Amino acid sequence: MPFILAHGALGPFDEIIFLGIAIVFLGMMGMSWLRSQQLEADDPEVESEQSPASDSERFELE
């Protein structure tokens, strides 16, 4: 097996470990992306624009 990605003291096992970590990382990123697509859009800026604060809720800074 030619050394393509990594080469060190473990020989060809470096490649297997490196590829395994890359696959786990990509899998976790994919799961995170899928979970984020299922969440509702909670944008606090949109809510604050829809209900402006009344004068009693505003305080004058010194």
Side-chain angles (χ1 to χ4, degrees):
M1 177 177 176
F3 296 114
I4 299 170
L5 300 174
H7 50 286
L10 298 178
F13 292 108
D14 282 347
E15 298 290 327
I16 295 169
I17 292 170
F18 185 80
L19 290 174
I21 292 171
I23 290 169
V24 168
F25 175 77
L26 292 174
M28 291 175 63
M29 292 296 103
M31 292 295 291
S32 175
W33 180 78
L34 289 174
R35 290 182 67 193
S36 70
Q37 296 300 311
Q38 295 174 356
L39 295 176
E40 294 180 14
D42 293 331
D43 194 359
E45 293 180 7
V46 173
E47 293 175 6
S48 65
E49 291 175 3
Q50 293 174 353
S51 59
S54 64
D55 290 333
S56 64
E57 294 179 3
R58 298 181 184 199
F59 299 99
E60 185 176 330
L61 299 176
E62 297 178 8

